[in-house]
Amino acid sequence: MRWLSEVVCPTPAQQIVFQEYVQTVTEQTERLGRLELELHEQVKTWRLAPVVEAFQALRGVQFTVAVTTVAELGDLTRFENPRQLMNYLGLTPSEYSSGARCQQGSITKTGNTHARRALVEGAWAYRYPAKVSRHLQLRLEKLPTVIQAISWKAQVRLCKRYRQLMAKGKNANQVVVAIARELSAFMWAIAKQVPVPPAV
């Protein structure tokens, strides 16, 4: 923001428009901060708060992604296996069959759009090599060892999978969707480890 305050546009009209853009970004950033603060307060009393906290063990799944996923999907243990969750999210490839010929297409996009979008955003974090950052370490310290183990397993597998698919020449967006699909399976595995009080 300090750098932006030093930008001088060639004409007064451009300077006014530029300042309006800067002001808009500032206002929206402040609004986002207020909403996130309120969300933190609301989650504290939620029965699924332990699941939100546990999901944050995963790389790329910070508070907003975790809350969005849990709010949109509810208790993930209601799915018998990860494949059902992937299907529900619309992250599985569509299939075209004719006789002996079978061809896979783009993802089905059925199910919950908000949760799918949040997972895809979180999946972008796996394009970098596996590593436990300082922020992730702080989140992991509060969680049981079994969840930490799932988190590391997910990170190693998904980072490697990203590199493999990119090396095959796949489009980056397609690769990230594939990572999001597998990320949902790791979320399901974590949800299985978290005791949740029954709904009243």
Side-chain angles (χ1 to χ4, degrees):
M1 293 307 287
R2 281 194 293 266
W3 178 81
L4 288 174
S5 68
E6 295 172 4
V7 172
V8 178
C9 296
T11 67
Q14 288 174 327
Q15 190 69 39
I16 289 169
V17 171
F18 175 75
Q19 287 306 136
E20 287 293 329
Y21 283 151
V22 170
Q23 184 63 29
T24 300
V25 169
T26 304
E27 289 169 1
Q28 294 305 317
T29 304
E30 289 169 359
R31 179 174 178 244
L32 185 61
R34 288 192 308 271
L35 289 170
E36 284 184 348
L37 190 63
E38 186 60 36
L39 203 53
H40 275 280
E41 290 302 313
Q42 295 297 322
V43 167
K44 287 177 184 175
T45 58
W46 192 22
R47 76 177 184 90
L48 294 174
V51 181
V52 171
E53 192 171 333
F55 281 176
Q56 292 179 68
L58 295 164
R59 183 177 180 175
V61 182
Q62 292 183 1
F63 182 75
T64 307
V65 173
V67 168
T68 302
T69 305
V70 176
E72 294 294 333
L73 301 177
D75 186 4
L76 269 64
T77 58
R78 67 192 169 103
F79 298 100
E80 288 182 24
N81 55 54
R83 174 124 342 248
Q84 283 185 350
L85 174 59
M86 293 173 196
N87 288 335
Y88 180 80
L89 287 165
L91 287 169
T92 50
S94 56
E95 190 176 293
Y96 305 97
S97 303
S98 177
R101 196 175 69 113
C102 183
Q103 183 181 358
Q104 287 189 332
S106 61
I107 60 170
T108 60
K109 292 187 182 177
T110 58
N112 195 296
T113 309
H114 299 297
R116 184 172 59 249
R117 186 181 299 123
L119 284 173
V120 170
E121 285 301 317
W124 280 103
Y126 293 94
R127 65 187 187 269
Y128 304 111
K131 174 189 167 196
V132 177
S133 68
R134 189 170 127 321
H135 297 294
L136 183 57
Q137 182 59 41
L138 290 171
R139 297 195 311 252
L140 286 169
E141 287 172 358
K142 301 179 254 177
L143 298 170
T145 311
V146 65
I147 292 174
Q148 292 180 25
I150 294 170
S151 169
W152 181 245
K153 183 179 177 183
Q155 198 170 153
V156 170
R157 175 172 170 75
L158 298 179
C159 291
K160 181 181 175 186
R161 185 96 172 111
Y162 182 90
R163 287 192 310 274
Q164 288 173 338
L165 291 172
M166 288 301 289
K168 288 182 178 179
K170 300 279 187 191
N171 177 291
N173 291 330
Q174 290 176 322
V175 172
V176 169
V177 168
I179 299 302
R181 179 170 48 250
E182 291 193 33
L183 180 59
S184 69
F186 283 106
M187 285 181 146
W188 180 85
I190 286 175
K192 284 286 195 185
Q193 302 297 324
V194 181
V196 175
V200 179

